[in-house]
Amino acid sequence: MQTSKGCIILAAGDGKRMKSEKPKVLMEVLFKPMLEWVLDAVSAAGIEDTAAIIGNNAELLEGYLKNEPNVQIFHQTQRKGTGHAVMQAESFLAKLKEADGDVLILCGDAPFMDSETIEGAYDCHKSQNNDVTVITADITQPANYGRILRNGERLEGIVEEKDCTDEQRKINEINSGGYWFKVAALLDALPKLTTENKSGEYYLTDAVGLTGNAGAFKTTNQRVVLGANDRRGLRELNKTAAQITIERHLDNGADIIGDNVLIGADVVIGKDTVIMPGTIIRGETVIGGGGVIGPNSLIADCEIGDNVTLNNVHAFLSKIEDNVKVGPFVHIRPDSVLKNGVKIGDFVEVKNSVIGEKTAIAHLTYIGDSDVGRGVNFGCGCVTANYDGLKKYRTTIGNDAFIGCNTNLIAPVKIGDNAMTAAGSTVSTEVPANSLAIERGRLNIKENYDKNLKRKKKS
Ligand code: UD1
Ligand code: MG
């Protein structure tokens, strides 16, 4: 579909100072590649057509962008500057020009650009009928950013740090690296760019001075300009990102106790949930209200209901319904479902299993590849033996069953409703409903046995 808004993300810089095998834009801020932060902001601003300019390590980026069907890839094989990078998307721009469109250009390494800024700048761009609208900010330490040259409300151009006069270097208004261009004006300016500057590169910033009518959208959100050149810078971005997400959750009514809590950018937390110290919540996790998560928990990509307690729990890609209590020291591995009111105690691992309502697994137990009914009680030290060295098999346990301490359930195996296994039993055949399975060797008693006999003989 032809739309009149598009976006080009510049992602061909190699970021040598990161000392990484990965391209810079795939370096992560709060567990999410910088490029993904930018792509999310662009789609939150309702822009569907996006082009990414990629350079070295193209394979890694191509692999990553496979999951982003709206993003067209353009290659910049030689790194000749931001203007040169934009030139690589000529066919993308030509299409947008036909629709008399505008293009947003963003840096793939500035993760905090947000949809409010993008939309605010677009409104300014349209209402002032600008050829280009540069997103700018006043910052106290402008070093290394391009400086904005103004004539009142209008922009005369942008001068890069390296090319600044001493006087220009004192300017605090800087170029964020984000712009809205009228596509026709950009296509007029690009062929006029030269490499006559200290870096010998085609600067996109020069296109600003070459258009007839340049304006600025000055944001007060100084975070949108932040980027990282090395690991120290990345750490700063992580700190800032952590602060941004924590503030958002506090504003939404969650309590976050202590400083050592990290919450990913896309996590959702309900009201009155308390996050205790030492906790990391990441990925697409959604948590309901009234719960207590932590201390010392790692929760990734989980759907968690209301009033859930997770104490010293590692949980991944699982669903935990309302009123579930888990922990301490529990591992919930992918594809598990803990239904309403489940209780799981210390040193328990659950993998790829459904645990029915109000079932209790109190201590030292492994439940893997199992379908467990409601109201089941597991004694201490139960194991579903799901793997025979070649294949994995499922265990099925009916409602209200009682699995005695130290039961081994050798899958595939079924325990019927309301059935019971005696402590210490190894069960490898089906146990019908309402029956008891007991598997034990005979107990031998040697009366009047002197337990110290051997020692006495020796001496
Ligand atoms: C650029 C701007 C500067 C602005 C700053 C904001 C220019 C000339 N300068 O400077 O005014 O204040 O961003 O952060 O544009 N890239 C390519 N191909 C290239 C060169 C760069 O794709 O050949 C990409 C990089 O991956 C990066 C973005 O363009 O995402 C900006 O490049 P960078 O080298 O970081 O430019 P700065 O010197 O920071
Ligand atoms: Mg930069």
Side-chain angles (χ1 to χ4, degrees):
M1 200 189 72
Q2 193 81 299
T3 55
S4 56
K5 267 191 221 174
C7 174
I8 295 176
I9 301 178
L10 306 182
D14 33 32
K16 279 198 187 97
R17 280 179 284 170
M18 285 290 175
K19 307 226 167 100
S20 171
E21 299 294 324
K22 286 194 268 187
K24 181 173 169 187
V25 295
L26 289 186
M27 306 299 293
E28 293 187 354
V29 171
L30 265 192
F31 324 112
K32 174 161 139 175
M34 292 202 267
L35 180 58
E36 194 170 321
W37 284 77
V38 180
L39 287 169
D40 285 351
V42 170
S43 64
I47 300 168
E48 285 172 7
D49 286 337
T50 303
I53 316 294
I54 70 175
N56 291 337
N57 292 330
E59 275 164 30
L60 283 172
L61 266 167
E62 279 168 344
Y64 171 77
L65 287 169
K66 266 200 192 116
N67 305 323
E68 302 282 347
N70 288 334
V71 181
Q72 290 180 49
I73 295 176
F74 294 89
H75 293 267
Q76 187 194 23
T77 45
Q78 279 179 300
R79 197 184 183 285
K80 293 190 194 167
T82 47
H84 181 256
V86 172
M87 289 173 200
Q88 312 310 307
E90 212 179 330
S91 59
F92 180 83
L93 289 169
K95 260 202 196 143
L96 272 176
K97 187 187 170 191
E98 275 170 30
D100 194 22
D102 296 276
V103 66
L104 170 72
I105 298 180
L106 296 177
C107 295
D109 61 356
F112 304 141
M113 179 56 71
D114 57 20
S115 57
E116 292 79 45
T117 309
I118 292 170
E119 287 168 328
Y122 182 74
D123 292 344
C124 165
H125 181 65
K126 289 315 243 184
S127 67
Q128 297 181 357
N129 194 23
N130 291 338
D131 287 327
V132 56
T133 303
V134 182
I135 300 169
T136 72
D138 283 327
I139 60 173
T140 45
Q141 293 182 317
N144 298 323
Y145 288 96
R147 307 299 206 283
I148 301 296
L149 307 179
R150 273 181 181 270
N151 181 0
E153 275 302 292
R154 309 313 296 163
L155 285 201
E156 290 192 322
I158 300 173
V159 57
E160 291 306 297
E161 166 97 6
K162 279 186 189 164
D163 304 296
C164 276
T165 62
D166 287 346
E167 218 37 49
Q168 287 168 333
R169 212 163 276 127
K170 289 180 195 148
I171 297 172
N172 285 96
E173 188 181 4
I174 57 98
N175 169 23
S176 68
Y179 327 73
W180 275 104
F181 275 95
K182 208 179 264 179
V183 174
L186 176 63
L187 283 171
D188 275 348
L190 286 177
K192 298 178 193 154
L193 298 183
T194 69
T195 54
E196 284 157 28
N197 52 58
K198 290 257 167 66
S199 307
E201 291 185 350
Y202 295 99
Y203 285 166
L204 178 62
T205 43
D206 287 348
V208 172
L210 290 167
T211 60
N213 188 16
F217 176 79
K218 193 195 279 189
T219 171
T220 49
N221 178 2
Q222 299 179 349
R223 286 166 173 167
V224 305
V225 311
L226 296 177
N229 293 319
D230 54 21
R231 302 274 181 169
R232 287 168 190 249
L234 200 61
R235 182 165 159 76
E236 289 306 314
L237 290 189
N238 269 297
K239 282 188 195 162
T240 305
Q243 191 58 26
I244 292 173
T245 53
I246 283 176
E247 282 167 10
R248 178 162 58 80
H249 292 297
L250 294 173
D251 291 344
N252 289 342
D255 271 327
I256 295 167
I257 300 180
D259 291 326
N260 55 347
V261 167
L262 286 178
I263 303 177
D266 302 320
V267 170
V268 176
I269 303 177
K271 281 186 194 146
D272 296 317
T273 286
V274 181
I275 313 295
M276 303 284 272
T279 295
I280 298 174
I281 308 173
R282 52 183 287 186
E284 291 177 11
T285 298
V286 177
I287 301 174
V292 180
I293 311 296
N296 307 320
S297 294
L298 170 58
I299 315 294
D301 301 304
C302 288
E303 186 185 333
I304 297 173
D306 293 332
N307 304 313
V308 169
T309 301
L310 303 179
N311 171 7
N312 283 270
V313 172
H314 284 203
F316 306 90
L317 282 162
S318 289
K319 184 172 179 201
I320 300 175
E321 294 185 356
D322 298 344
N323 309 309
V324 169
K325 262 185 121 172
V326 186
F329 316 117
V330 171
H331 191 181
I332 308 294
R333 291 172 53 199
D335 302 315
S336 297
V337 179
L338 311 184
K339 298 216 170 176
N340 204 314
V342 161
K343 281 205 175 80
I344 295 185
D346 50 291
F347 304 104
V348 170
E349 175 173 331
V350 177
K351 185 212 88 172
N352 185 25
S353 295
V354 178
I355 311 296
E357 280 181 27
K358 297 200 169 154
T359 283
I361 312 173
H363 357 248
L364 299 156
T365 289
Y366 171 67
I367 307 293
D369 303 312
S370 300
D371 301 293
V372 179
R374 77 179 118 73
V376 174
N377 186 78
F378 285 84
C380 181
C382 296
V383 173
T384 57
N386 55 333
Y387 185 48
D388 65 2
L390 284 175
K391 277 178 85 177
K392 302 232 161 120
Y393 303 92
R394 291 195 81 79
T395 297
T396 306
I397 300 175
N399 297 330
D400 302 309
F402 184 102
I403 311 298
C405 289
N406 258 317
T407 295
N408 291 314
L409 298 168
I410 313 297
V413 67
K414 271 190 184 161
I415 309 295
D417 286 349
N418 207 31
M420 186 170 190
T421 68
S425 299
T426 292
V427 179
S428 52
T429 54
E430 179 166 349
V431 179
N434 305 306
S435 46
L436 167 70
I438 175 161
E439 185 270 344
R440 276 181 206 156
R442 182 191 294 270
L443 183 67
N444 281 319
I445 307 284
K446 314 267 187 200
E447 286 179 354
N448 301 318
Y449 177 72
D450 181 353
K451 67 181 171 28
N452 294 321
L453 194 63
K454 270 189 186 159
R455 210 184 302 153
K456 283 180 194 159
K457 274 185 183 167
K458 236 184 171 179
S459 61

